[in-house]
Amino acid sequence: KQFYLDPFVNYVTGSGFTHNLRLRTFYSDNNNGNDQSNKTNVYTAEYRINKEFVEAGKLNVTAGLFYNQSFSTASLYSGSETGIELEC
């Protein structure tokens, strides 16, 4: 089973700034048997602000932030009972 949840908000101020906030949650639970099942959670957030400066020849300025985090478990790769710790 799996699902996505994608809420978002767009807001334009009176002074012409456009704010965008987009979020995403992804969940997946694959029950495959044979010790090959896995679960995954992915969280994403993006904030963007935009302003068009008409007096500067329609100069368009955009800035923003992005965040992504994933959590995953799978018995296939667990190794011993204490697990395996990998460093990258």
mmCIF file with all atom_site columns, all heavy atoms in Angstrom, residues 3-10 21-27 42-46:
data_model
loop_
_atom_site.group_PDB
_atom_site.id
_atom_site.type_symbol
_atom_site.label_atom_id
_atom_site.label_alt_id
_atom_site.label_comp_id
_atom_site.label_asym_id
_atom_site.label_entity_id
_atom_site.label_seq_id
_atom_site.pdbx_PDB_ins_code
_atom_site.Cartn_x
_atom_site.Cartn_y
_atom_site.Cartn_z
_atom_site.occupancy
_atom_site.B_iso_or_equiv
_atom_site.pdbx_formal_charge
_atom_site.auth_seq_id
_atom_site.auth_comp_id
_atom_site.auth_asym_id
_atom_site.auth_atom_id
_atom_site.pdbx_PDB_model_num
ATOM 1   N N   . PHE A 1 3  ? 0.630  5.873  -0.434 1.00 0.00 ? 3  PHE A N   1
ATOM 2   C CA  . PHE A 1 3  ? -0.174 7.070  -0.677 1.00 0.00 ? 3  PHE A CA  1
ATOM 3   C C   . PHE A 1 3  ? 0.724  8.298  -0.727 1.00 0.00 ? 3  PHE A C   1
ATOM 4   O O   . PHE A 1 3  ? 1.830  8.308  -0.198 1.00 0.00 ? 3  PHE A O   1
ATOM 5   C CB  . PHE A 1 3  ? -1.278 7.247  0.365  1.00 0.00 ? 3  PHE A CB  1
ATOM 6   C CG  . PHE A 1 3  ? -0.800 7.678  1.724  1.00 0.00 ? 3  PHE A CG  1
ATOM 7   C CD1 . PHE A 1 3  ? -0.617 9.023  2.015  1.00 0.00 ? 3  PHE A CD1 1
ATOM 8   C CD2 . PHE A 1 3  ? -0.562 6.747  2.711  1.00 0.00 ? 3  PHE A CD2 1
ATOM 9   C CE1 . PHE A 1 3  ? -0.184 9.421  3.266  1.00 0.00 ? 3  PHE A CE1 1
ATOM 10  C CE2 . PHE A 1 3  ? -0.129 7.137  3.962  1.00 0.00 ? 3  PHE A CE2 1
ATOM 11  C CZ  . PHE A 1 3  ? 0.060  8.474  4.240  1.00 0.00 ? 3  PHE A CZ  1
ATOM 12  N N   . TYR A 1 4  ? 0.236  9.324  -1.396 1.00 0.00 ? 4  TYR A N   1
ATOM 13  C CA  . TYR A 1 4  ? 0.842  10.652 -1.457 1.00 0.00 ? 4  TYR A CA  1
ATOM 14  C C   . TYR A 1 4  ? -0.123 11.638 -0.817 1.00 0.00 ? 4  TYR A C   1
ATOM 15  O O   . TYR A 1 4  ? -1.331 11.507 -0.952 1.00 0.00 ? 4  TYR A O   1
ATOM 16  C CB  . TYR A 1 4  ? 1.020  11.120 -2.908 1.00 0.00 ? 4  TYR A CB  1
ATOM 17  C CG  . TYR A 1 4  ? 2.090  10.434 -3.684 1.00 0.00 ? 4  TYR A CG  1
ATOM 18  C CD1 . TYR A 1 4  ? 1.800  9.317  -4.449 1.00 0.00 ? 4  TYR A CD1 1
ATOM 19  C CD2 . TYR A 1 4  ? 3.387  10.929 -3.684 1.00 0.00 ? 4  TYR A CD2 1
ATOM 20  C CE1 . TYR A 1 4  ? 2.771  8.695  -5.201 1.00 0.00 ? 4  TYR A CE1 1
ATOM 21  C CE2 . TYR A 1 4  ? 4.369  10.314 -4.437 1.00 0.00 ? 4  TYR A CE2 1
ATOM 22  C CZ  . TYR A 1 4  ? 4.056  9.208  -5.197 1.00 0.00 ? 4  TYR A CZ  1
ATOM 23  O OH  . TYR A 1 4  ? 5.022  8.601  -5.939 1.00 0.00 ? 4  TYR A OH  1
ATOM 24  N N   . LEU A 1 5  ? 0.430  12.640 -0.174 1.00 0.00 ? 5  LEU A N   1
ATOM 25  C CA  . LEU A 1 5  ? -0.354 13.766 0.325  1.00 0.00 ? 5  LEU A CA  1
ATOM 26  C C   . LEU A 1 5  ? 0.397  15.022 -0.110 1.00 0.00 ? 5  LEU A C   1
ATOM 27  O O   . LEU A 1 5  ? 1.568  15.196 0.250  1.00 0.00 ? 5  LEU A O   1
ATOM 28  C CB  . LEU A 1 5  ? -0.494 13.695 1.845  1.00 0.00 ? 5  LEU A CB  1
ATOM 29  C CG  . LEU A 1 5  ? -1.312 14.788 2.503  1.00 0.00 ? 5  LEU A CG  1
ATOM 30  C CD1 . LEU A 1 5  ? -2.749 14.762 1.992  1.00 0.00 ? 5  LEU A CD1 1
ATOM 31  C CD2 . LEU A 1 5  ? -1.284 14.614 4.010  1.00 0.00 ? 5  LEU A CD2 1
ATOM 32  N N   . ASP A 1 6  ? -0.233 15.869 -0.920 1.00 0.00 ? 6  ASP A N   1
ATOM 33  C CA  . ASP A 1 6  ? 0.433  17.021 -1.525 1.00 0.00 ? 6  ASP A CA  1
ATOM 34  C C   . ASP A 1 6  ? -0.291 18.344 -1.242 1.00 0.00 ? 6  ASP A C   1
ATOM 35  O O   . ASP A 1 6  ? -0.839 18.966 -2.152 1.00 0.00 ? 6  ASP A O   1
ATOM 36  C CB  . ASP A 1 6  ? 0.516  16.839 -3.045 1.00 0.00 ? 6  ASP A CB  1
ATOM 37  C CG  . ASP A 1 6  ? 1.442  15.731 -3.466 1.00 0.00 ? 6  ASP A CG  1
ATOM 38  O OD1 . ASP A 1 6  ? 2.495  15.571 -2.837 1.00 0.00 ? 6  ASP A OD1 1
ATOM 39  O OD2 . ASP A 1 6  ? 1.116  15.027 -4.434 1.00 0.00 ? 6  ASP A OD2 1
ATOM 40  N N   . PRO A 1 7  ? -0.284 18.837 -0.004 1.00 0.00 ? 7  PRO A N   1
ATOM 41  C CA  . PRO A 1 7  ? -0.919 20.133 0.247  1.00 0.00 ? 7  PRO A CA  1
ATOM 42  C C   . PRO A 1 7  ? -0.042 21.281 -0.267 1.00 0.00 ? 7  PRO A C   1
ATOM 43  O O   . PRO A 1 7  ? 1.183  21.164 -0.341 1.00 0.00 ? 7  PRO A O   1
ATOM 44  C CB  . PRO A 1 7  ? -1.036 20.177 1.767  1.00 0.00 ? 7  PRO A CB  1
ATOM 45  C CG  . PRO A 1 7  ? 0.062  19.297 2.247  1.00 0.00 ? 7  PRO A CG  1
ATOM 46  C CD  . PRO A 1 7  ? 0.231  18.229 1.206  1.00 0.00 ? 7  PRO A CD  1
ATOM 47  N N   . PHE A 1 8  ? -0.692 22.382 -0.648 1.00 0.00 ? 8  PHE A N   1
ATOM 48  C CA  . PHE A 1 8  ? 0.051  23.558 -1.105 1.00 0.00 ? 8  PHE A CA  1
ATOM 49  C C   . PHE A 1 8  ? -0.743 24.822 -0.812 1.00 0.00 ? 8  PHE A C   1
ATOM 50  O O   . PHE A 1 8  ? -1.957 24.786 -0.669 1.00 0.00 ? 8  PHE A O   1
ATOM 51  C CB  . PHE A 1 8  ? 0.372  23.474 -2.603 1.00 0.00 ? 8  PHE A CB  1
ATOM 52  C CG  . PHE A 1 8  ? -0.834 23.547 -3.484 1.00 0.00 ? 8  PHE A CG  1
ATOM 53  C CD1 . PHE A 1 8  ? -1.259 24.761 -3.994 1.00 0.00 ? 8  PHE A CD1 1
ATOM 54  C CD2 . PHE A 1 8  ? -1.552 22.406 -3.799 1.00 0.00 ? 8  PHE A CD2 1
ATOM 55  C CE1 . PHE A 1 8  ? -2.370 24.835 -4.812 1.00 0.00 ? 8  PHE A CE1 1
ATOM 56  C CE2 . PHE A 1 8  ? -2.666 22.465 -4.617 1.00 0.00 ? 8  PHE A CE2 1
ATOM 57  C CZ  . PHE A 1 8  ? -3.086 23.677 -5.124 1.00 0.00 ? 8  PHE A CZ  1
ATOM 58  N N   . VAL A 1 9  ? -0.009 25.943 -0.757 1.00 0.00 ? 9  VAL A N   1
ATOM 59  C CA  . VAL A 1 9  ? -0.609 27.254 -0.551 1.00 0.00 ? 9  VAL A CA  1
ATOM 60  C C   . VAL A 1 9  ? 0.098  28.232 -1.480 1.00 0.00 ? 9  VAL A C   1
ATOM 61  O O   . VAL A 1 9  ? 1.335  28.266 -1.533 1.00 0.00 ? 9  VAL A O   1
ATOM 62  C CB  . VAL A 1 9  ? -0.441 27.737 0.911  1.00 0.00 ? 9  VAL A CB  1
ATOM 63  C CG1 . VAL A 1 9  ? -0.962 29.156 1.074  1.00 0.00 ? 9  VAL A CG1 1
ATOM 64  C CG2 . VAL A 1 9  ? -1.121 26.804 1.871  1.00 0.00 ? 9  VAL A CG2 1
ATOM 65  N N   . ASN A 1 10 ? -0.674 29.017 -2.215 1.00 0.00 ? 10 ASN A N   1
ATOM 66  C CA  . ASN A 1 10 ? -0.154 30.106 -3.034 1.00 0.00 ? 10 ASN A CA  1
ATOM 67  C C   . ASN A 1 10 ? -0.781 31.394 -2.526 1.00 0.00 ? 10 ASN A C   1
ATOM 68  O O   . ASN A 1 10 ? -1.994 31.463 -2.342 1.00 0.00 ? 10 ASN A O   1
ATOM 69  C CB  . ASN A 1 10 ? -0.508 29.910 -4.512 1.00 0.00 ? 10 ASN A CB  1
ATOM 70  C CG  . ASN A 1 10 ? 0.136  28.673 -5.092 1.00 0.00 ? 10 ASN A CG  1
ATOM 71  O OD1 . ASN A 1 10 ? 1.261  28.334 -4.750 1.00 0.00 ? 10 ASN A OD1 1
ATOM 72  N ND2 . ASN A 1 10 ? -0.572 28.001 -5.977 1.00 0.00 ? 10 ASN A ND2 1
ATOM 73  N N   . LEU A 1 21 ? 4.113  27.646 -1.048 1.00 0.00 ? 21 LEU A N   1
ATOM 74  C CA  . LEU A 1 21 ? 4.549  26.604 -0.117 1.00 0.00 ? 21 LEU A CA  1
ATOM 75  C C   . LEU A 1 21 ? 3.961  25.292 -0.610 1.00 0.00 ? 21 LEU A C   1
ATOM 76  O O   . LEU A 1 21 ? 2.736  25.153 -0.738 1.00 0.00 ? 21 LEU A O   1
ATOM 77  C CB  . LEU A 1 21 ? 4.069  26.891 1.309  1.00 0.00 ? 21 LEU A CB  1
ATOM 78  C CG  . LEU A 1 21 ? 4.420  25.836 2.350  1.00 0.00 ? 21 LEU A CG  1
ATOM 79  C CD1 . LEU A 1 21 ? 5.933  25.691 2.501  1.00 0.00 ? 21 LEU A CD1 1
ATOM 80  C CD2 . LEU A 1 21 ? 3.763  26.153 3.676  1.00 0.00 ? 21 LEU A CD2 1
ATOM 81  N N   . ARG A 1 22 ? 4.834  24.341 -0.896 1.00 0.00 ? 22 ARG A N   1
ATOM 82  C CA  . ARG A 1 22 ? 4.398  23.026 -1.377 1.00 0.00 ? 22 ARG A CA  1
ATOM 83  C C   . ARG A 1 22 ? 5.001  21.958 -0.483 1.00 0.00 ? 22 ARG A C   1
ATOM 84  O O   . ARG A 1 22 ? 6.203  21.959 -0.215 1.00 0.00 ? 22 ARG A O   1
ATOM 85  C CB  . ARG A 1 22 ? 4.858  22.804 -2.813 1.00 0.00 ? 22 ARG A CB  1
ATOM 86  C CG  . ARG A 1 22 ? 4.277  23.806 -3.762 1.00 0.00 ? 22 ARG A CG  1
ATOM 87  C CD  . ARG A 1 22 ? 4.832  23.655 -5.140 1.00 0.00 ? 22 ARG A CD  1
ATOM 88  N NE  . ARG A 1 22 ? 4.387  24.764 -5.956 1.00 0.00 ? 22 ARG A NE  1
ATOM 89  C CZ  . ARG A 1 22 ? 4.249  24.717 -7.253 1.00 0.00 ? 22 ARG A CZ  1
ATOM 90  N NH1 . ARG A 1 22 ? 4.538  23.610 -7.896 1.00 0.00 ? 22 ARG A NH1 1
ATOM 91  N NH2 . ARG A 1 22 ? 3.839  25.759 -7.912 1.00 0.00 ? 22 ARG A NH2 1
ATOM 92  N N   . LEU A 1 23 ? 4.146  21.063 -0.029 1.00 0.00 ? 23 LEU A N   1
ATOM 93  C CA  . LEU A 1 23 ? 4.570  19.980 0.855  1.00 0.00 ? 23 LEU A CA  1
ATOM 94  C C   . LEU A 1 23 ? 4.214  18.643 0.214  1.00 0.00 ? 23 LEU A C   1
ATOM 95  O O   . LEU A 1 23 ? 3.266  18.558 -0.567 1.00 0.00 ? 23 LEU A O   1
ATOM 96  C CB  . LEU A 1 23 ? 3.875  20.098 2.217  1.00 0.00 ? 23 LEU A CB  1
ATOM 97  C CG  . LEU A 1 23 ? 4.008  21.445 2.924  1.00 0.00 ? 23 LEU A CG  1
ATOM 98  C CD1 . LEU A 1 23 ? 3.096  21.483 4.131  1.00 0.00 ? 23 LEU A CD1 1
ATOM 99  C CD2 . LEU A 1 23 ? 5.440  21.689 3.325  1.00 0.00 ? 23 LEU A CD2 1
ATOM 100 N N   . ARG A 1 24 ? 4.965  17.611 0.551  1.00 0.00 ? 24 ARG A N   1
ATOM 101 C CA  . ARG A 1 24 ? 4.632  16.272 0.077  1.00 0.00 ? 24 ARG A CA  1
ATOM 102 C C   . ARG A 1 24 ? 5.027  15.249 1.139  1.00 0.00 ? 24 ARG A C   1
ATOM 103 O O   . ARG A 1 24 ? 6.092  15.325 1.721  1.00 0.00 ? 24 ARG A O   1
ATOM 104 C CB  . ARG A 1 24 ? 5.351  15.922 -1.215 1.00 0.00 ? 24 ARG A CB  1
ATOM 105 C CG  . ARG A 1 24 ? 5.208  14.420 -1.558 1.00 0.00 ? 24 ARG A CG  1
ATOM 106 C CD  . ARG A 1 24 ? 5.701  14.087 -2.907 1.00 0.00 ? 24 ARG A CD  1
ATOM 107 N NE  . ARG A 1 24 ? 4.605  14.389 -3.831 1.00 0.00 ? 24 ARG A NE  1
ATOM 108 C CZ  . ARG A 1 24 ? 4.635  14.110 -5.120 1.00 0.00 ? 24 ARG A CZ  1
ATOM 109 N NH1 . ARG A 1 24 ? 5.686  13.561 -5.658 1.00 0.00 ? 24 ARG A NH1 1
ATOM 110 N NH2 . ARG A 1 24 ? 3.595  14.397 -5.882 1.00 0.00 ? 24 ARG A NH2 1
ATOM 111 N N   . THR A 1 25 ? 4.117  14.318 1.375  1.00 0.00 ? 25 THR A N   1
ATOM 112 C CA  . THR A 1 25 ? 4.389  13.140 2.194  1.00 0.00 ? 25 THR A CA  1
ATOM 113 C C   . THR A 1 25 ? 4.114  11.931 1.331  1.00 0.00 ? 25 THR A C   1
ATOM 114 O O   . THR A 1 25 ? 3.060  11.835 0.708  1.00 0.00 ? 25 THR A O   1
ATOM 115 C CB  . THR A 1 25 ? 3.470  13.104 3.436  1.00 0.00 ? 25 THR A CB  1
ATOM 116 O OG1 . THR A 1 25 ? 3.750  14.239 4.237  1.00 0.00 ? 25 THR A OG1 1
ATOM 117 C CG2 . THR A 1 25 ? 3.707  11.859 4.248  1.00 0.00 ? 25 THR A CG2 1
ATOM 118 N N   . PHE A 1 26 ? 5.088  11.036 1.269  1.00 0.00 ? 26 PHE A N   1
ATOM 119 C CA  . PHE A 1 26 ? 4.919  9.791  0.531  1.00 0.00 ? 26 PHE A CA  1
ATOM 120 C C   . PHE A 1 26 ? 5.161  8.643  1.495  1.00 0.00 ? 26 PHE A C   1
ATOM 121 O O   . PHE A 1 26 ? 6.146  8.628  2.229  1.00 0.00 ? 26 PHE A O   1
ATOM 122 C CB  . PHE A 1 26 ? 5.902  9.703  -0.636 1.00 0.00 ? 26 PHE A CB  1
ATOM 123 C CG  . PHE A 1 26 ? 5.942  8.351  -1.287 1.00 0.00 ? 26 PHE A CG  1
ATOM 124 C CD1 . PHE A 1 26 ? 4.858  7.878  -1.999 1.00 0.00 ? 26 PHE A CD1 1
ATOM 125 C CD2 . PHE A 1 26 ? 7.057  7.549  -1.179 1.00 0.00 ? 26 PHE A CD2 1
ATOM 126 C CE1 . PHE A 1 26 ? 4.882  6.628  -2.597 1.00 0.00 ? 26 PHE A CE1 1
ATOM 127 C CE2 . PHE A 1 26 ? 7.095  6.294  -1.771 1.00 0.00 ? 26 PHE A CE2 1
ATOM 128 C CZ  . PHE A 1 26 ? 6.010  5.839  -2.483 1.00 0.00 ? 26 PHE A CZ  1
ATOM 129 N N   . TYR A 1 27 ? 4.241  7.679  1.499  1.00 0.00 ? 27 TYR A N   1
ATOM 130 C CA  . TYR A 1 27 ? 4.356  6.495  2.351  1.00 0.00 ? 27 TYR A CA  1
ATOM 131 C C   . TYR A 1 27 ? 4.184  5.268  1.479  1.00 0.00 ? 27 TYR A C   1
ATOM 132 O O   . TYR A 1 27 ? 3.288  5.201  0.639  1.00 0.00 ? 27 TYR A O   1
ATOM 133 C CB  . TYR A 1 27 ? 3.275  6.521  3.436  1.00 0.00 ? 27 TYR A CB  1
ATOM 134 C CG  . TYR A 1 27 ? 3.214  5.240  4.245  1.00 0.00 ? 27 TYR A CG  1
ATOM 135 C CD1 . TYR A 1 27 ? 4.125  5.001  5.256  1.00 0.00 ? 27 TYR A CD1 1
ATOM 136 C CD2 . TYR A 1 27 ? 2.250  4.280  3.977  1.00 0.00 ? 27 TYR A CD2 1
ATOM 137 C CE1 . TYR A 1 27 ? 4.077  3.829  5.989  1.00 0.00 ? 27 TYR A CE1 1
ATOM 138 C CE2 . TYR A 1 27 ? 2.195  3.111  4.703  1.00 0.00 ? 27 TYR A CE2 1
ATOM 139 C CZ  . TYR A 1 27 ? 3.114  2.890  5.712  1.00 0.00 ? 27 TYR A CZ  1
ATOM 140 O OH  . TYR A 1 27 ? 3.064  1.734  6.429  1.00 0.00 ? 27 TYR A OH  1
ATOM 141 N N   . VAL A 1 42 ? 8.822  9.481  2.859  1.00 0.00 ? 42 VAL A N   1
ATOM 142 C CA  . VAL A 1 42 ? 9.568  10.580 2.264  1.00 0.00 ? 42 VAL A CA  1
ATOM 143 C C   . VAL A 1 42 ? 8.809  11.876 2.545  1.00 0.00 ? 42 VAL A C   1
ATOM 144 O O   . VAL A 1 42 ? 7.606  11.956 2.297  1.00 0.00 ? 42 VAL A O   1
ATOM 145 C CB  . VAL A 1 42 ? 9.742  10.392 0.736  1.00 0.00 ? 42 VAL A CB  1
ATOM 146 C CG1 . VAL A 1 42 ? 10.523 11.560 0.143  1.00 0.00 ? 42 VAL A CG1 1
ATOM 147 C CG2 . VAL A 1 42 ? 10.424 9.072  0.425  1.00 0.00 ? 42 VAL A CG2 1
ATOM 148 N N   . TYR A 1 43 ? 9.525  12.875 3.062  1.00 0.00 ? 43 TYR A N   1
ATOM 149 C CA  . TYR A 1 43 ? 8.935  14.172 3.376  1.00 0.00 ? 43 TYR A CA  1
ATOM 150 C C   . TYR A 1 43 ? 9.659  15.250 2.574  1.00 0.00 ? 43 TYR A C   1
ATOM 151 O O   . TYR A 1 43 ? 10.891 15.307 2.573  1.00 0.00 ? 43 TYR A O   1
ATOM 152 C CB  . TYR A 1 43 ? 9.061  14.473 4.872  1.00 0.00 ? 43 TYR A CB  1
ATOM 153 C CG  . TYR A 1 43 ? 8.443  13.410 5.730  1.00 0.00 ? 43 TYR A CG  1
ATOM 154 C CD1 . TYR A 1 43 ? 9.224  12.474 6.392  1.00 0.00 ? 43 TYR A CD1 1
ATOM 155 C CD2 . TYR A 1 43 ? 7.059  13.330 5.867  1.00 0.00 ? 43 TYR A CD2 1
ATOM 156 C CE1 . TYR A 1 43 ? 8.647  11.481 7.176  1.00 0.00 ? 43 TYR A CE1 1
ATOM 157 C CE2 . TYR A 1 43 ? 6.478  12.355 6.642  1.00 0.00 ? 43 TYR A CE2 1
ATOM 158 C CZ  . TYR A 1 43 ? 7.282  11.428 7.290  1.00 0.00 ? 43 TYR A CZ  1
ATOM 159 O OH  . TYR A 1 43 ? 6.705  10.452 8.059  1.00 0.00 ? 43 TYR A OH  1
ATOM 160 N N   . THR A 1 44 ? 8.904  16.098 1.894  1.00 0.00 ? 44 THR A N   1
ATOM 161 C CA  . THR A 1 44 ? 9.464  17.147 1.065  1.00 0.00 ? 44 THR A CA  1
ATOM 162 C C   . THR A 1 44 ? 8.733  18.455 1.349  1.00 0.00 ? 44 THR A C   1
ATOM 163 O O   . THR A 1 44 ? 7.517  18.455 1.511  1.00 0.00 ? 44 THR A O   1
ATOM 164 C CB  . THR A 1 44 ? 9.318  16.796 -0.434 1.00 0.00 ? 44 THR A CB  1
ATOM 165 O OG1 . THR A 1 44 ? 9.932  15.544 -0.673 1.00 0.00 ? 44 THR A OG1 1
ATOM 166 C CG2 . THR A 1 44 ? 9.961  17.831 -1.306 1.00 0.00 ? 44 THR A CG2 1
ATOM 167 N N   . ALA A 1 45 ? 9.485  19.546 1.396  1.00 0.00 ? 45 ALA A N   1
ATOM 168 C CA  . ALA A 1 45 ? 8.897  20.881 1.564  1.00 0.00 ? 45 ALA A CA  1
ATOM 169 C C   . ALA A 1 45 ? 9.658  21.860 0.675  1.00 0.00 ? 45 ALA A C   1
ATOM 170 O O   . ALA A 1 45 ? 10.884 21.797 0.578  1.00 0.00 ? 45 ALA A O   1
ATOM 171 C CB  . ALA A 1 45 ? 8.974  21.318 3.016  1.00 0.00 ? 45 ALA A CB  1
ATOM 172 N N   . GLU A 1 46 ? 8.914  22.740 0.026  1.00 0.00 ? 46 GLU A N   1
ATOM 173 C CA  . GLU A 1 46 ? 9.520  23.764 -0.825 1.00 0.00 ? 46 GLU A CA  1
ATOM 174 C C   . GLU A 1 46 ? 8.807  25.095 -0.574 1.00 0.00 ? 46 GLU A C   1
ATOM 175 O O   . GLU A 1 46 ? 7.581  25.160 -0.604 1.00 0.00 ? 46 GLU A O   1
ATOM 176 C CB  . GLU A 1 46 ? 9.387  23.393 -2.295 1.00 0.00 ? 46 GLU A CB  1
ATOM 177 C CG  . GLU A 1 46 ? 9.934  24.446 -3.230 1.00 0.00 ? 46 GLU A CG  1
ATOM 178 C CD  . GLU A 1 46 ? 9.695  24.109 -4.699 1.00 0.00 ? 46 GLU A CD  1
ATOM 179 O OE1 . GLU A 1 46 ? 8.958  23.157 -4.995 1.00 0.00 ? 46 GLU A OE1 1
ATOM 180 O OE2 . GLU A 1 46 ? 10.246 24.837 -5.533 1.00 0.00 ? 46 GLU A OE2 1
#
